[in-house]
């Protein structure tokens, strides 16, 4: 990671983000999640396998400005979740708790439509709407997953503590309490 310095301190930096398209310049970290990386997440395993066999498309991407993963720093970036379904289940991110569970996150939706699903270790659940202009505050202790219910990419800008880390394992075993489906054109959370 190239961290520029001014005197004793990390230098401030600026980057360009097209708030209409979500295209971010100057990202240092780019994650692509293909269908094959989502085995075990969707209810309809056979439908996922046929999507994988059909070319294993990218289902979502993350672009981040990397900073030192230390207390006090903030990681910012863009999450771009493509539209589609696996069987009838809307495309979604893996979802995670933060490894440092007492760290929260802010999501600002720039485009598309869907939900941010959240859950706690106590079994509490929340689904808040995501569409252009919605800002969702994810408090500490809440696992979070984006779900795209529309026909265009769900694009969000996010900010979280750089030391947070990601705990995917617990969601892999616990699931997320509820799933989001498109049935006969209607979105249902069940
Ligand atoms: C986001 C997510 C991003 C992808 O940057 O990492 O939306 O979701 P998964 O990490 O669950 O695959 C974030 O919440 N970071 O903490
Ligand atoms: Zn997070």
């Amino acid at each position: 990671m190239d961290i520029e310095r001014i005197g004793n301190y990390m230098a401030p930096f600026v980057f360009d983000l097209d708030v209409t398209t979500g295209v971010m310049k100057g990202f240092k970290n780019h994650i692509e999640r293909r269908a094959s990386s989502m085995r075990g997440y969707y209810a309809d395993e056979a439908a996922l396998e046929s999507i994988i066999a059909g070319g294993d498309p990218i289902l979502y991407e993350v672009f981040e400005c990397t900073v030192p993963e230390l207390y006090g720093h903030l990681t910012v970036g863009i999450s771009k979740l493509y539209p589609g379904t696996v069987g009838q289940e809307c495309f979604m991110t893996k979802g995670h708790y933060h490894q440092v569970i007492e760290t929260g996150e802010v999501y600002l939706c720039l485009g598309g439509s869907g939900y941010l699903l959240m859950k706690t270790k106590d079994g509490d659940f929340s689904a808040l709407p995501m569409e252009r202009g919605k800002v969702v505050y994810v408090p500490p202790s809440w696992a979070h997953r984006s779900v795209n219910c529309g026909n265009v990419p769900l694009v969000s800008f996010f900010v979280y503590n750089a030391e947070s880390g990601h705990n995917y394992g617990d969601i892999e075993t616990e699931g997320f309490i509820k799933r989001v489906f498109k049935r006969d054109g209607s979105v249902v959370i069940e």
Side-chain angles (χ1 to χ4, degrees):
M1 183 190 326
D2 299 330
I3 299 293
E4 289 190 30
R5 302 189 72 82
I6 295 178
N8 291 320
Y9 302 103
M10 179 179 162
F13 63 90
V14 61
F15 63 92
D16 290 309
L17 172 66
D18 183 325
V19 292
T20 302
T21 61
V23 172
M24 176 174 157
K25 291 186 185 152
F27 59 86
K28 297 277 172 22
N29 190 24
H30 178 210
I31 299 161
E32 291 178 340
R33 298 266 196 237
R34 292 182 182 274
S36 56
S37 70
M38 298 299 290
R39 285 190 171 103
Y41 284 89
Y42 287 98
D44 189 339
E45 292 177 15
L48 182 67
E49 288 307 321
S50 79
I51 291 172
I52 295 168
D56 196 14
I58 295 169
L59 304 191
Y60 65 97
E61 299 181 77
V62 181
F63 305 87
E64 285 183 344
C65 277
T66 46
V67 297
E69 291 177 7
L70 297 172
Y71 175 80
H73 285 275
L74 299 168
T75 298
V76 296
I78 287 286
S79 163
K80 185 173 188 181
L81 172 59
Y82 292 101
T85 58
V86 174
Q88 295 184 320
E89 190 170 3
C90 297
F91 281 1
M92 61 187 179
T93 59
K94 291 186 172 193
H96 55 267
Y97 292 99
H98 288 160
Q99 199 78 47
V100 182
I101 199 162
E102 50 282 292
T103 59
E105 183 156 351
V106 173
Y107 276 74
L108 162 62
C109 184
L110 299 177
S113 63
Y115 288 95
L116 196 67
L117 306 187
M118 288 162 280
K119 67 160 287 195
T120 69
K121 289 279 180 190
D122 292 348
D124 310 296
F125 178 80
S126 174
L128 294 179
M130 293 280 273
E131 58 191 37
R132 186 172 169 78
K134 294 278 190 211
V135 182
V136 178
Y137 180 68
V138 182
S141 301
W142 287 82
H144 39 287
R145 160 182 287 169
S146 308
V147 182
N148 188 343
C149 302
N151 300 315
V152 296
L154 179 67
V155 179
S156 308
F157 177 76
F158 57 77
V159 184
Y160 63 93
N161 298 256
E163 81 280 20
S164 296
H166 295 91
N167 169 2
Y168 294 101
D170 287 358
I171 291 301
E172 280 171 19
T173 50
E174 293 168 11
F176 229 94
I177 302 178
K178 294 190 184 190
R179 295 176 179 275
V180 183
F181 297 92
K182 259 189 203 174
R183 300 201 196 281
D184 302 322
S186 300
V187 175
V188 288
I189 303 176
E190 56 190 42

